[in-house]
Amino acid sequence: MKSLLQRRSALAWLAVVAAGTAGPAHAGAYDDFLRAIARDDAATVASLLRRGFDPNARDPKGQPALILALREEARQVAEVLIAAKGLKVEERNAKDESALMMAALRGNLPAARGLIAREADVNKTGWAPLHYAAASTTADAAAMVALLLEHHAYIDAASPNGTTPLMMAVRYGTADAARLLISEGADPSLKNQLGLSAVDFAMRADRQDMVQLVAEAVRRRQPDRGKW
């Protein structure tokens, strides 16, 4: 009969293999995989996948490999993973973030297009990819917002506390992303569960240009509302 220590060691080894592989790869492949992501070593990742490694493996903190690659700007690895057979594009991390959300935050347009092509959920409930695109400060933030809207992202998506993408844009994101949301019809008068509007978000960030942008959008809408 195995000792308790031996059984625990065997179970730990099996857990590593199960987390990191879908085939007869050795346990060391798991560490190789994580190191390859850190180095953006797409060739090693592709080689491991060909040998049966699971593209849905998670790091020791439970982060799906693709989300990890996108977060760490390992763009070549992300490209390989997005193309991988058996990838589960809607795997989430502990914060309920999806790969498309992380691509949106990082302004990674090629990854976002690839994920959408693989039917990633553009209108995920709770915090949505459009919230993350709107909060992004990358050069491609507005282009990411446009891409998501082209694929029918709900422009006034409400987070769990009712925060909209426009609110995120005027406080955290780029002016171009905020302007695009307003020009595409985002409602500047909405309030979240704390009673805060997009103007309030902009004021808290001391972004006077965004305060003026939203205030003007609200004024433009008022005559239309008076007709009903």
Side-chain angles (χ1 to χ4, degrees), residues 34 38 63 67 72 85 88 110 122 137 140 173 179 213 222:
L34 294 181
Q63 193 88 243
I67 295 179
E72 300 303 320
K85 183 178 180 181
K88 298 176 182 177
V122 173
T137 58
D140 288 323
R179 294 189 190 100
L213 177 72
Q222 286 174 342

Side-chain angles (χ1 to χ4, degrees), residues 177-198:
R179 294 189 190 100
L180 177 60
L181 286 165
I182 287 176
S183 69
E184 291 295 325
D187 189 341
S189 66
L190 293 175
K191 296 183 178 181
N192 67 10
Q193 292 176 4
L194 297 176
L196 300 175
S197 67

Side-chain angles (χ1 to χ4, degrees), residues 5-82:
L5 181 60
Q6 287 174 319
R7 288 198 299 271
R8 285 179 176 173
S9 296
L11 288 172
W13 186 87
L14 288 171
V16 169
V17 174
T21 69
H26 59 83
Y30 179 72
D31 292 330
D32 293 342
F33 185 66
L34 294 181
R35 282 194 291 268
I37 292 175
R39 298 192 304 266
D40 197 15
D41 181 355
T44 294
V45 169
S47 175
L48 287 167
L49 294 178
R50 286 194 298 270
R51 289 157 48 197
F53 198 90
D54 184 3
N56 304 298
R58 293 172 178 259
D59 73 3
K61 295 182 179 179
Q63 193 88 243
L66 178 54
I67 295 179
L68 180 63
L70 291 166
R71 188 190 71 188
E72 300 303 320
E73 296 280 21
R75 293 197 169 204
Q76 295 181 66
V77 167
E79 182 180 354
V80 169
L81 290 172
I82 290 169

